[in-house]
Each structure stands twice: as C-alpha cells, then as structure tokens.
Amino acid sequence: MQQLTPTHKLAVCLAAGVAVRLACFAIWPESLQRRPELTSPLTSFRSLQEGVFLFGKGDNPYTGGVFYYSPIYLAIFSHLQASPLLWVIADLMGALALSRIDTTRCSDDKGYKAAALYLFNPYILLSCLARSTAGLENAVLLWAICGRTTNDLLLSGTCLAFVSHTSIYPILLLPPLLKGLSSRQRAILAGAFAVVFGTIAAGNTLVFGSSWIRPTWGTILTVSDLTPNVGMWWYFFTEMFDHFRQFFLGVFQLHTAIYVLPVCLRIEDPLHATLILLGVISTWKSYPTLADLGVWAGLLGCFPEITANLRHPLFTLATYLHTFILLPLLHSLWLLTGTGNANFFYAATMVHGLNSALAVVDVVTAVMRFRLKKVVQWKDTYKAVQITAIE
Amino acid sequence: MVILGYLWVLALPYDGLWKGTYIDEHSLQPAQVTMYWDWPNVHKADQFLERLEELVRSNSTFDERSAYLIQAFSEAGLSAGNTTSAVYASVMPPRSAGTETILISANWVSRDGGPNLRGVATLLAMGDFLRGQNHWAFNFVLVIGDSYLTGLSSFLASYHTLFPGVIWTGLNIDYPGHSFSHLGVFYEGLNGRLPNQDVPNTIAHVGKWAGGVEMRLHDVPEEAPEWVRSIPGREDVRGMVERYVVGARHLWTHAGYMALGRASGAHGVMAKYRIDSSTLYCTPASGPHGFHTLGRTLESTLRSLNNLLERLHASYFFYLLPSPGHFIPVGNYLPSSILLGASVVIGGLACPQPPSPAGMLYLLLSMGIGGLAWIAQTPLVSILAFLLPRPEGRARETVRCLAHIGYGAMIPTLAMLNYPQSLLLATVTIAYLVPYRSVRLVALAAHPALVQWALPGLRAEWEVLGNAFWPGVFAVWVPLWVIAVII
C-alpha cells in the first residue's frame, strides 16, 4: 500500500471519526442522554431542549429553577436546529484544533495522531452521542488553547470568554495562557477576553435582567443541584448540614483554584501549565462529566514528550477501564435493580476521581522530568548531579 | 496472586469465614404468630389432590386444567382468570389497601420433571384458607403456571395489567412426592440475581421454629457423606472436615446454578421484576411431613411477609449461603475475585507503547468471529481461528496484553453481579492465557461448544427467559478462545 502523506492520514482520520459518529447516531437509541456519567444537570441535552422550548414560548426559563444553561445557548439554539450534526461538527472542530496544536508544537505528521486520540476516545464519542453540551464547550476550549499556540490571541481570548461564560472554570486557564507573552500580547489576550466576556454579560442582562446569574454561575459555585454525576461533590453535599455548607463549598472551590498560582509560577512552558490546570479542573470541578476527562486526554496526546515520561500510564488506563465498566453497572444496580445503593455508585466515582488525581500527579511528574532531562546535558552525565542541586 | 485467589476460593467453605444469619428487616418477626392452618385445610387439600390426579391421569389439555382450576378458585370465593399459559386467582382481604401484593405460585411441573400435584393442591387449599381470614394487609395472587418456568414467566410479563398492586415478594411451592422429610430453599434467580437475603433466611427460620421441619438449602443434605464420616482420626478434626465438605457441597450446588445464570426454581423468573422470591422444595420421602407442615410453614412465612411496610432493602443482596443458618458476606468472598482479576491485568501491563494497530485489528477480528458464531448460533465457528495467520512480535504482544487487561477488568466487575460466574470467567481466562503454547492448546480443549453439548437448553433459556449466559458465550468466551489460539 502506498504510504499516505500525513495530510491524507489526517483527512482519513477526521472522515472516519465523522463516519463513526453518524453511524452511531443512526442506530443508537437516545437512552445515552440520561446517563449521569455523560451528562450533568449543566450539560444535559434534554434540559437544553426544554429551556429552548420555554424561551420560544416567551417565558423566562430561569424562573423554573432547573435550567442551568447560559443565555448564550438559548440565543444559539433559538435560531439553530439542535441536530446531531452540530455535535459531530463540534467534535471535528475539536480534533482540528488539537491537530493544529500538535503541528505547531512539534510534530511533522500534521497531528493526525492527536486528532485520532480525541475522536476515538470512548469518553468523547459517547458524550457526542449523548449530545452533552460539554462536547460543544470542549471544541471552543480547544480553539482557545490552539489560538494561544499559534499566537492568534484574539481568537484565544474570545473563545476563552465564551467558555468561561458557560462554565466558570476555564477562567482559571487565563493565567497560564497569559504566561510567556510580551505585555502588549498579554494586553491583547486579556483585553479580548474582558471585552467579549463583558459584552456577553451585558447582552444577557439586557434580555434577562439579572435572573440568569444565579441559575448559571450560582449553581456551579454553590452546587444547588445534587443530581448524581461522576464527580465527588454531590454525595458530600447531599449529606451535609446547612451549617457547614458554606465552609465546605469554600474548601472545595478553593481546592480547584489553589493550583493556579503555584503551577503558573513553577512551570515555565505555558502549554504545560495549561495542560496541568486543565487536568486539575476536569478532576475537581463541581459538575464533571467524562467529556472533561476526554478533552484533557486529547490535549495530553499533543504532548508526546510528556506521555513518554509518564510513570504508570497503563495502570491509569486499566483503572479507567475498570471504572468505565463499573460506573454504569453500579448506577443501574442502585436505581434499576435496587440491589445496591448510592454508596456503590459513589465508590466507583471515588475510584474514578482518585485515578484522575493520580493521573494529574503523574502528568506533573512527567513535566518535571522532561524539564530536568532538557536541562541536563546527557552527554555529560557527571555534571547532572551538580545541576540538579541548582534546580 | 492467582494461587492466592484460588486458595481464598477454596477457603470459603471453612466456617471461620461464615457469619450467622439474622433477619435484617425488623418488621418481619418470623415464627412469632399463631398459625390457623390445620387438619380441615389438609382435608381440603387432599380433596383437591384427588381431582388433580384425575386430571393428570387423563392427559388433560391446558384448557381443561385451567377450567377446573378457575372453577376451584371461584368456589372458594376468589376471582380467577387465566392467561395463555397460567391460571391466577386474586385474594383481596377486607383490610388490605390493595397497593401491594404477595405472589404465591405452584407450577404444574416440578423441578424433578414430574407433575407438581401436591404443590398445586396446597395452593388451592391455601387460596380457600386465605379467603376466610381478615387480618392480612397484602393482597395475594396465586399463580399456577403451565410448565416448569415458562407459564409463570409469561404471566409475569403482563401482571401489571391483570390486577392492581405491586408485587414485592413471592413464594413458589414445589412438592412432587407424597410426603417430605426436609424443606429445601432454592433462591437463585435468573442471570444470577439473588433475592434479598431476608427471604431465604425468613423461610429457614420459620420452617425450623414454626413448621418444625428440618431445613436445607437446595437439596443438599446437612450431613456429610458416608466416606467423610468414616475417615479415621480425631473427633474434632473430623467434625471440621465434615462441616467443610457440607459447606463445599452447598457452595458448589449454588455455583452450578449461578455460573450459568440459571434459575434454580420457578421463582427465578420473578427476579427480573424486582420480586424477592424463593422456592420451597419438599424433598420426597416417606418421611413425617405433609400438607399440614407445609401449610403452617407457608402461613407463617406469609404472615412475616405481610408485616412489610416497604420493599425489602435492609439485608444483603449479594451473599453466599453455605448452610441454612450461615452466610458469607461480600467482603469475605469478593477479594478472591479481585485478586484473580488483578493478577490477569498485571499479566498484561507489559504492553508495548504505543500498541500496534495490527494487534488491535486481530482483537477486532476475534470479536468478529464471535459475531459470526452468534449468527450461526454455534461456538464451533471459532475453529476458524486456526486458519488465521498468527501475529508476530509487537502485534502479538499487543494482542496478548490487551486481552489480559480487558478480560482482567471484566472479572472483578462481573463478580459484583454474579460471583460464581466471575470465577468461571477467571478460570477460563487464566487457563486460556497461560504463557506456554503447549499448555494452552490443552486448555483450549475446553471449548465453549462443550457447553452447548452438555446443556442444550441454554439457548432456549435465552430466547424464552432471557438468560444472558448464552449470548455471553459468544460475546466473551469465543473471542477469548480465538485470541488464545492466535497468540
């Protein structure tokens, strides 16, 4: 067989990803939309449909109390048909962004491996089939990172502003993205971010007054909806006394935010810092889904120097396989057959979360090892001992 | 680790790992009631029995039988009807709210294969008995399904439409002989679903204290066989060995049903509908018990189940019962399965990175052969594996390691649902994935087609009842066989 050029390989990859998704959409039932592993109250397609319908009727969907989407979605889906094609295109765009990041950073194979890793990751594929809006947000987030990689700062700032509006946590990615830029470039990025963010906020307030802030950002920050998901928050806050709720909310949110400063100070490469912080966010955000992990894994695929330095990748992957089977199994054991209870599902969630935490630590270790290897002249192994002392 | 895992499994019949059973749901209060079932009811049952024997002797059709049964129930004052393969009667006591129902069934064919005459007679007499009382809080539905399982199973498929109320618990009566010496409790459901442990525990407790009959699990005697008892040596050591052997027999019988996903009695088809149920099997003997004992045991059990205010949830759903008065909790048996699964996964951690695409292709191919075998409905299609070119080098390593990791992940997750089945999977996986090809080829003689030959009813069970073992053979076992051949 004639060797395909990398561009061809990328095209084949993307086409295959699209084809698989279209085929699955044709045959798969819609039951995936209800799965707690793939959707959360903030990303559920059914909730979005309901909100758009109410908005179309002229009601304010936020007065119902169960609609947590940003008004951006209402604006988009009032005019756009929410067909499966949109999600396929979103995944395609995400894969393209990843391939551009990969190409720009190091490789000469047009980034088809990174694109393949993203498109055929079961987490991303199933989230696409479940029409979780996390897929749409992932695409925008990846373009924000891609913009930073290719020095297209306006794009980066705009995309980041959009994603921060819908789910607050990407704001934490602004500091690492601002690293390593000249002050003029920083001004552009931050300025674009602020302008777009402000415009959207102003637009939202124009249409909805202030009724949109509490359901969207308020839910993310105060965790008012305790539907079970793959995160570790819901169980804690279900059994918590109101007296302590504020305290624990502060602690949990702080835990996610507290890594920003140290990582940005310690890690030089802004993309490495972004990678680590994306992992931190995906693991410890208030309403995670498998798609968040998927986007992190996809981004990891663009850093072959990091994956080469991971200490226990197979163990992590094997544990993810175990939890991938156990999470739906124990959820159905709890709610379908009634032979288990919430603790079973939560235990699987905790294993999943712990594994993700281990993976984040592994990535941090790999980043440090890579830096060390870069610094050390391996021809001169005797000097390495002295250089490590300086580090 | 594999050795540790199997040693743990072998240690399970040792009573150091057992705990005494207790009734978790406090409202059940077993064997605390006065029983009103007495000799007049036994006489009624005998009268029904005569008529039923006539029906069986004259080779009656389903319509004739159902006509008689409906007539018998109606004469007792119950509203009765029939579906295409079952007859049912509704008992609606005056003080019951009608929102919950207890199901009592006695099917025509016993697990021995013969007609379950006295079981049906007991049910008819019980219907007559229940009608005359006013202290029940549940409704009852009495079902007589046509053959061993299928009549009851088709009744359950439409039970929501036939009468109001949700069924929480169920009992099945299997009484093939003239009299019985022991009452056996069968509790395994279809696809390895067990009822809440309170059900077999309540029946065992009630049978022992209220019925005065010796209880057994399945049909396994509580005494060790003769050859064990005659081993020379110290009394206490021999006693320990006897207890071990008896426990091992109980667990082996249990595993025999669970590993294949088969129901051990007609109650098994109720598990799918979240009905916690067991079968009472009267071991045929010339022994001392008959309608009187069975009726009283049944009545007392029903009185306990009648006390429930909510679904059974307090006791365990995952357990092993090595003896009527003991159980092995999950924490004492699950680690063995986790050890086995982990050992298989660790065997696969030396995967080449990145995995070779040719290797992945071979895996897909093995699954494809599994699919082909499913279409042909025979596992023998896997012989095609010998025609495949064997992968070399990195591809081979990839196939081997990914198979290890994948199947190793399946073992402990399956153990959460059906422990004996996971042990079967673990044994098959470990035997097939042994590193030495010559040993592997010997192990491969245990082909999945043997299952089809030894148990021809499995396919019918899948089609009629939904026992997922049969498709599982094609989805899991056949690809593993193919992989074991090609690596």
Side-chain angles (χ1 to χ4, degrees):
Chain A
M1 187 169 76
Q2 190 186 31
Q3 275 292 58
L4 294 170
T5 68
T7 327
H8 282 148
K9 282 189 190 173
L10 179 64
V12 164
C13 218
L14 296 174
V18 170
V20 165
R21 278 162 174 74
L22 289 175
C24 285
F25 266 119
I27 57 175
W28 208 292
E30 288 189 344
S31 55
L32 277 180
Q33 289 173 13
R34 298 165 185 262
R35 289 237 60 96
E37 302 90 11
L38 301 172
T39 64
S40 66
L42 289 121
T43 61
S44 154
F45 180 61
R46 293 151 51 83
S47 173
L48 179 66
Q49 277 180 310
E50 186 183 333
V52 169
F53 175 78
L54 285 173
F55 186 57
K57 291 271 176 206
D59 293 328
N60 182 352
Y62 294 110
T63 53
V66 290
F67 183 71
Y68 307 114
Y69 280 94
S70 171
I72 300 177
Y73 282 108
L74 286 175
I76 296 174
F77 286 99
S78 307
H79 304 293
L80 200 63
Q81 185 78 305
S83 82
L85 219 53
L86 190 62
W87 272 265
V88 177
I89 294 175
D91 273 3
L92 194 63
M93 298 297 287
L96 272 171
L98 278 173
S99 70
R100 278 191 78 181
I101 297 174
D102 203 12
T103 325
T104 317
R105 282 202 79 237
C106 46
S107 75
D108 48 359
D109 62 354
K110 288 289 180 191
Y112 75 90
K113 281 192 187 143
L117 227 68
Y118 182 71
L119 282 175
F120 295 106
N121 186 342
Y123 289 172
I124 300 288
L125 179 61
L126 289 174
S127 298
C128 174
L129 293 175
R131 299 219 230 160
S132 157
T133 55
L136 307 176
E137 287 170 22
N138 285 348
V140 180
L141 182 65
L142 285 173
W143 275 102
I145 301 176
C146 176
R148 170 67 179 82
T149 323
T150 57
N151 264 324
D152 191 351
L153 299 166
L154 280 175
L155 175 70
S156 184
T158 314
C159 290
L160 198 65
F162 267 100
V163 158
S164 302
H165 240 279
T166 52
S167 116
I168 301 182
Y169 291 97
I171 283 187
L172 298 173
L173 292 178
L174 192 58
L177 289 179
L178 284 174
K179 262 171 74 79
L181 292 173
S182 72
S183 31
R184 190 179 151 271
Q185 288 174 311
R186 278 185 198 174
I188 297 180
L189 182 57
F193 179 83
V195 165
V196 178
F197 197 86
T199 320
I200 302 176
N204 292 343
T205 321
L206 262 173
V207 180
F208 287 108
S210 66
S211 65
W212 63 275
I213 300 184
R214 184 156 279 251
T216 56
W217 295 349
T219 313
I220 299 177
L221 291 173
T222 61
V223 192
S224 53
D225 185 309
L226 293 171
T227 310
N229 51 57
V230 215
M232 295 176 272
W233 294 55
W234 61 276
Y235 191 85
F236 264 100
F237 287 95
T238 308
E239 57 181 14
M240 190 174 291
F241 293 116
D242 285 337
H243 186 64
F244 298 105
R245 200 186 163 84
Q246 289 237 339
F247 169 68
F248 277 99
L249 268 176
V251 168
F252 275 60
Q253 296 288 8
L254 202 65
H255 183 75
T256 316
I258 210 168
Y259 292 101
V260 176
L261 201 59
V263 167
C264 287
L265 289 177
R266 187 80 173 82
I267 313 282
E268 287 167 357
D269 187 350
L271 283 176
H272 285 166
T274 314
L275 178 71
I276 294 173
L277 283 175
L278 188 60
V280 166
I281 293 171
S282 302
T283 311
W284 286 302
K285 65 192 282 195
S286 47
Y287 290 97
T289 62
L290 293 181
D292 300 307
L293 270 176
V295 75
W296 182 47
L299 193 60
L300 193 60
C302 297
F303 294 82
E305 75 274 13
I306 306 288
T307 49
N309 279 308
L310 288 173
R311 299 185 79 123
H312 48 77
L314 261 182
F315 172 76
T316 312
L317 283 173
T319 314
Y320 274 129
L321 178 65
H322 274 86
T323 50
F324 186 67
I325 302 175
L326 275 180
L327 278 167
L329 182 70
L330 293 176
H331 187 256
S332 82
L333 224 61
W334 169 28
L335 293 176
L336 219 70
T337 62
T339 52
N341 53 43
N343 297 315
F344 288 48
F345 179 67
Y346 190 62
T349 302
M350 281 213 287
V351 170
H352 181 83
L354 203 72
N355 191 32
S356 300
L358 264 170
V360 171
V361 170
D362 205 9
V363 167
V364 172
T365 319
V367 167
M368 307 304 283
R369 283 175 82 188
F370 173 68
R371 280 186 62 213
L372 189 61
K373 285 184 184 174
K374 244 181 32 174
V375 166
V376 165
Q377 297 290 328
W378 62 270
K379 286 189 294 190
D380 204 350
T381 47
Y382 296 102
K383 288 211 179 119
V385 179
Q386 291 160 327
I387 294 173
T388 41
I390 304 171
E391 283 296 317
Chain B
M1 253 169 103
V2 169
I3 299 176
L4 257 180
Y6 279 115
L7 275 178
W8 196 310
V9 174
L10 288 174
L12 287 175
Y14 168 59
D15 52 13
L17 284 172
W18 301 355
K19 288 175 71 165
T21 56
Y22 49 94
I23 306 289
D24 245 322
E25 174 62 53
H26 286 191
S27 58
L28 282 172
Q29 300 293 323
Q32 302 296 318
V33 290
T34 310
M35 292 157 287
Y36 298 102
W37 173 278
D38 218 338
W39 297 106
N41 306 94
V42 172
H43 180 63
K44 261 258 160 56
D46 278 326
Q47 287 177 321
F48 283 126
L49 179 65
E50 265 185 55
R51 191 68 184 84
L52 288 172
E53 279 173 343
E54 262 179 51
L55 276 175
V56 166
R57 258 199 308 270
S58 65
N59 284 329
S60 54
T61 63
F62 173 72
D63 291 322
E64 286 168 8
R65 287 199 296 268
S66 66
Y68 166 67
L69 290 170
I70 293 177
Q71 183 210 2
F73 278 128
S74 310
E75 277 171 8
L78 309 174
S79 69
N82 68 317
T83 66
T84 49
S85 54
V87 176
Y88 66 95
S90 250
V91 184
M92 287 181 269
R95 285 186 187 165
S96 83
T99 47
E100 291 98 28
T101 310
I102 297 179
L103 187 148
I104 320 172
S105 75
N107 300 302
W108 267 107
V109 177
S110 153
R111 54 188 315 280
D112 295 345
N116 181 18
L117 286 172
R118 281 173 171 74
V120 178
T122 312
L123 196 67
L124 292 170
M126 184 59 70
D128 176 75
F129 168 71
L130 289 171
R131 178 72 172 79
Q133 307 197 304
N134 63 357
H135 52 256
W136 298 95
F138 277 60
N139 281 3
F140 293 93
V141 62
L142 314 173
V143 182
I144 301 172
D146 205 28
S147 60
Y148 178 48
L149 288 170
T150 45
L152 183 60
S153 134
S154 73
F155 169 79
L156 285 171
S158 60
Y159 91 78
H160 291 286
T161 58
L162 294 171
F163 52 86
V166 182
I167 305 179
W168 283 353
T169 50
L171 290 174
N172 182 48
I173 310 169
D174 202 337
Y175 184 179
H178 282 272
S179 316
F180 63 94
S181 54
H182 297 84
L183 206 55
V185 180
F186 287 81
Y187 53 95
E188 291 85 358
L190 204 60
N191 282 326
R193 283 182 67 164
L194 299 172
N196 192 314
Q197 207 191 342
D198 274 336
V199 176
N201 284 349
T202 306
I203 298 175
H205 192 101
V206 162
K208 182 172 168 194
W209 296 109
V213 58
E214 277 179 47
M215 300 302 296
R216 274 183 180 174
L217 286 176
H218 311 117
D219 203 13
V220 175
E222 281 299 299
E223 304 81 35
E226 201 46 57
W227 63 268
V228 175
R229 273 183 279 165
S230 58
I231 295 176
R234 285 172 48 186
E235 189 64 51
D236 50 350
V237 170
R238 191 168 63 239
M240 208 168 74
V241 171
E242 279 179 27
R243 280 196 304 277
Y244 182 91
V245 169
V246 171
R249 280 186 75 178
H250 276 115
L251 290 176
W252 180 256
T253 320
H254 172 73
Y257 290 113
M258 294 279 279
L260 301 170
R262 317 186 87 177
S264 56
H267 68 281
V269 300
M270 295 195 232
K272 195 166 67 165
Y273 301 92
R274 278 192 80 173
I275 303 174
D276 296 302
S277 53
S278 299
T279 296
L280 281 85
Y281 174 71
C282 307
T283 324
S286 57
H289 302 292
F291 282 129
H292 193 250
T293 314
L294 180 62
R296 285 166 77 86
T297 312
L298 211 54
E299 183 198 352
S300 191
T301 314
L302 290 174
R303 288 290 294 275
S304 286
L305 297 176
N306 180 54
N307 290 339
L308 288 174
L309 294 170
E310 44 181 357
R311 271 188 193 274
L312 285 168
H313 66 279
S315 188
Y316 305 94
F317 282 98
F318 301 107
Y319 50 89
L320 291 174
L321 293 180
S323 126
H326 299 92
F327 75 101
I328 305 180
V330 173
N332 285 3
Y333 71 75
L334 205 60
S336 61
S337 180
I338 295 178
L339 278 173
L340 292 172
S343 69
V344 175
V345 169
I346 290 176
L349 282 183
C351 193
Q353 309 215 31
S356 103
M360 313 272 260
L361 213 63
Y362 274 104
L363 283 174
L364 280 172
L365 210 61
S366 66
M367 284 190 254
I369 293 187
L372 272 174
W374 173 252
I375 296 173
Q377 286 287 310
T378 163
L380 285 170
V381 171
S382 63
I383 304 283
L384 280 176
F386 283 108
L387 298 171
L388 287 176
R390 293 186 57 199
E392 294 293 329
R394 285 193 63 214
R396 180 176 172 278
E397 274 309 298
T398 308
V399 173
R400 196 185 70 84
C401 294
L402 287 180
H404 268 105
I405 294 179
Y407 282 89
M410 271 195 265
I411 292 168
T413 45
L414 184 59
M416 292 243 52
L417 278 178
N418 188 339
Y419 173 69
Q421 202 166 60
S422 82
L423 283 184
L424 177 65
L425 180 63
T427 312
V428 167
T429 309
I430 292 171
Y432 282 11
L433 294 180
V434 164
Y436 309 105
R437 189 169 167 86
S438 43
V439 179
R440 218 184 309 139
L441 284 175
V442 169
L444 285 174
H447 191 269
L450 283 176
V451 167
Q452 190 184 21
W453 170 76
L455 297 155
L458 272 179
R459 180 180 166 182
E461 273 192 32
W462 157 248
E463 280 158 12
V464 175
L465 299 170
N467 180 358
F469 187 75
W470 179 245
V473 166
F474 294 97
V476 172
W477 198 337
V478 171
L480 184 62
W481 200 91
V482 172
I483 292 172
V485 167
I486 62 177
I487 62 171

